[in-house]
Amino acid sequence: MPRILKNQTHWEGLYYYRKSVVLYQMTVAFCRRFLPTRGDRTVDQMVQAARSGKQNIVEGLADGVTSTEMELKLLNVARASLKELREDYLDYLAAHSLPRWEPGHPRYDALLAFCRAHNDLADYEPHFAAWTDEETANCAVTLCHMVDKMLTTVLARKERDFAENGGIRERMTAARLRRRQTQNEEIAALLAP
């Protein structure tokens, strides 16, 4: 019988989820160290954007068992939240006259290599108390960009899968039609001389 529910994706092993965990914890540490504890809405905005990125990945992949539509929407909300977070970090760098590490900056290649090679909180957490605001913000910008690119790829793949295989309604219809066909075959076999 055709499956109605899709397999649950185990997000804990996905690079984009693991990097989103890093971004959330990094943002909490960054805000505690470098932003005022009172009177600045930026702290709440940044922490909530980082949290939303991580949580919407989880919710989107969990909802994807039954609803491709919700999965696509929530994964895109995760992307949008992390784009907002990236913009907050870029604004911080600009407001504090700190350089953005782009291609050509002497530390860009090393940062990019580090972020590509490391996906887990344990790889980054020891640096939270040691890195300057410039280092942390540039690392966060890089991670936001990486997760965005990964989510863009995932969304495109899921979109193709939906176009080829349909969603739960198609799977439910196929399962019901298959069951009717089986019942008809069973009845025909019983009535055969």
Side-chain angles (χ1 to χ4, degrees):
M1 176 164 69
R3 289 186 50 96
I4 294 173
L5 299 178
K6 292 194 298 186
N7 290 329
Q8 175 67 69
T9 300
H10 298 286
W11 52 83
E12 298 89 350
L14 300 172
Y15 291 154
Y16 59 91
Y17 172 74
R18 290 160 56 191
K19 287 182 187 297
S20 76
V21 170
V22 172
L23 276 166
Y24 174 67
Q25 295 297 334
M26 180 182 288
T27 299
V28 169
F30 178 87
C31 290
R32 283 186 185 143
R33 284 188 67 205
F34 302 114
L35 293 174
T37 56
R38 296 186 194 279
D40 188 349
R41 288 200 57 229
T42 306
V43 172
D44 289 339
Q45 294 286 78
M46 288 180 73
V47 170
Q48 287 307 312
R51 183 184 181 281
S52 177
K54 180 177 87 64
Q55 297 302 102
N56 277 293
I57 290 170
V58 172
E59 187 175 357
L61 294 173
D63 282 354
V65 169
T66 57
S67 175
T68 302
E69 178 184 2
M70 285 305 295
E71 181 178 30
L72 292 171
K73 285 180 179 179
L74 290 167
L75 290 177
N76 198 59
V77 169
R79 270 189 73 228
S81 294
L82 294 176
K83 283 181 174 291
E84 176 185 349
L85 180 63
R86 182 176 183 264
E87 197 66 23
D88 282 330
Y89 278 111
L90 290 172
D91 288 346
Y92 180 92
L93 290 169
H96 292 84
S97 301
L98 297 171
R100 179 176 169 195
W101 299 358
E102 298 177 295
H105 186 281
R107 297 188 66 188
Y108 174 78
D109 290 334
L111 173 65
L112 190 60
F114 179 83
C115 291
R116 282 182 177 154
H118 297 93
N119 300 302
D120 297 312
L121 181 59
D123 300 324
Y124 293 84
E125 201 166 29
H127 303 287
F128 291 172
W131 282 345
T132 65
D133 53 349
E134 178 184 338
E135 291 167 323
T136 307
N138 275 290
C139 183
V141 166
T142 301
L143 288 172
C144 285
H145 181 72
M146 287 179 164
V147 174
D148 177 57
K149 292 300 180 192
M150 288 182 216
L151 282 171
T152 299
T153 301
V154 168
L155 285 165
R157 187 181 72 240
K158 290 185 178 293
E159 184 179 0
R160 282 191 307 275
D161 180 58
F162 178 77
E164 292 172 12
N165 302 310
I168 193 167
R169 288 186 184 94
E170 290 87 356
R171 292 190 303 273
M172 290 171 71
T173 300
R176 187 67 194 130
L177 290 173
R178 180 75 175 155
R179 179 66 184 131
R180 280 188 191 154
Q181 181 182 357
T182 302
Q183 287 174 333
N184 290 339
E185 290 169 0
E186 290 170 356
I187 291 170
L190 290 172
L191 296 175

